[in-house]
Amino acid sequence: MNPELILLYPSVTDVSVDETAMFLDAVAEADALRTDGPVDEAHATAYRRAVSSLARHWTVCEDSGRRRGHSLLPREDAADLDTAVKLLRHALSSPTDVERATYMERAQTIVDGVAGRNRVRFTPRSRDRLATLSVAALPSP
């Protein structure tokens, strides 16, 4: 999941939001049916249905997240996440690796602070994605 999406619309990772919980259930169902080996037609059909359900639930979850924005958050957390998004956008347009890394590290510090206050419910996968912001910005060797 795109870190900017998570920061702009944190309810897309908040399992206490019904739309998000249904999306994550659909992810689990599709994951459970996913296989690399050969399958019979019934299994293939069940997997296609699960993936279609997953896509529908993601659309509902994302739409819900966009409508909610930061409305479920305390003002301090909402303002901090807005700042982190601005830093991410600056990083993406930065002309140098050093400048990009600086913006990303600042964004990472803010996100870590918000996550540490435990008022934003990030899923473990989202936390992992957000935890790698500054690492992703480092220049490659």
Side-chain angles (χ1 to χ4, degrees):
M1 192 175 294
N2 179 336
E4 187 173 327
L5 178 76
I6 297 167
L7 298 176
L8 286 171
Y9 315 116
S11 69
V12 300
T13 67
D14 185 342
V15 296
S16 71
V17 174
D18 288 341
E19 294 87 349
T20 302
M22 289 186 290
F23 165 67
L24 293 173
D25 288 344
V27 169
E29 182 180 351
D31 280 348
L33 291 168
R34 185 177 179 179
T35 181
D36 291 331
V39 296
D40 61 20
E41 186 59 34
H43 186 96
T45 299
Y47 181 68
R48 282 192 297 274
R49 285 185 183 145
V51 170
S52 292
S53 174
L54 170 63
R56 285 191 307 277
H57 283 294
W58 170 246
T59 299
V60 171
C61 179
E62 184 179 23
D63 289 347
S64 170
R66 288 180 187 278
R67 277 192 317 277
R68 283 186 171 94
H70 291 156
S71 66
L72 301 178
L73 301 178
R75 286 185 197 183
E76 177 187 14
D77 290 343
D80 284 350
L81 292 181
D82 285 340
T83 300
V85 168
K86 290 174 188 173
L87 290 167
L88 283 175
R89 289 176 179 165
H90 283 301
L92 293 174
S93 64
S94 295
T96 68
D97 290 338
V98 171
E99 188 175 321
R100 186 175 311 108
T102 301
Y103 280 124
M104 294 299 271
E105 287 171 14
R106 288 178 57 203
Q108 183 71 61
T109 299
I110 291 170
V111 169
D112 289 346
V114 171
R117 292 192 289 267
N118 290 318
R119 294 185 298 223
V120 179
R121 294 179 185 98
F122 295 122
T123 62
R125 190 177 285 178
S126 297
R127 279 186 185 266
D128 290 346
R129 183 72 176 120
L130 292 171
T132 61
L133 289 178
S134 57
V135 173
L138 295 175
S140 47

